[in-house]
Amino acid sequence: MEHSGHKHTQVGEEEVLEDIVDLEEYARLGKQPPLSRGYRIRINGDPFLVHEPEITGRQILTLAGLLPVENYTLRVKIVGEKPRKVELDEKINLRHHGVEKFKALPRDQTEGA
């Protein structure tokens, strides 16, 4: 992957909101979430606070207390799209336009056995 996503934020580079951004609300309004000091995400309907704009599937499941993470399948709902599977080490950019919520389901016990 040729992404240069490891940039160091400099003062004045981008406006940072002091508030917590509710992703579901921004998705409903059709707005892209701004850089902020926190993002409220929903996992299985419950709100959680994340302080970084990027998070992995593994971190989302851990945050929700769904352990071991390998026992769950995570999906992301993006406005206007069907929910799609998120791999454990896949990074999700919470500032991506339309990221609405996450759903985690227990894997079938025979899966991967």
Side-chain angles (χ1 to χ4, degrees), residues 24-31:
E24 208 169 17
E25 190 177 313
Y26 271 80
R28 264 197 307 265
L29 295 172
K31 293 182 177 179

Side-chain angles (χ1 to χ4, degrees), residues 43-44 56-61 66 69 72-76 84-88 92 102-105 107:
I43 307 167
N44 291 353
T56 64
R58 181 181 309 276
Q59 289 170 312
I60 291 168
L61 291 169
L66 301 170
V69 295
Y72 292 88
T73 298
L74 182 67
R75 298 191 181 282
V76 61
R84 71 168 181 82
K85 185 176 178 181
V86 176
E87 299 298 331
L88 289 178
I92 297 291
F102 298 90
K103 182 84 175 164
L105 299 169
R107 287 181 190 245

Side-chain angles (χ1 to χ4, degrees), residues 31-44:
K31 293 182 177 179
Q32 179 170 347
L35 192 60
S36 79
R37 70 182 176 87
Y39 302 89
R40 184 173 297 112
I41 63 173
R42 290 201 178 275
I43 307 167
N44 291 353

Side-chain angles (χ1 to χ4, degrees), residues 40-83:
R40 184 173 297 112
I41 63 173
R42 290 201 178 275
I43 307 167
N44 291 353
D46 297 324
F48 293 90
L49 187 59
V50 178
H51 294 286
E52 298 295 324
E54 282 195 345
I55 189 169
T56 64
R58 181 181 309 276
Q59 289 170 312
I60 291 168
L61 291 169
T62 301
L63 183 66
L66 301 170
L67 302 170
V69 295
E70 292 78 13
N71 289 357
Y72 292 88
T73 298
L74 182 67
R75 298 191 181 282
V76 61
K77 175 68 176 93
I78 297 176
V79 172
E81 298 178 17
K82 287 184 184 173

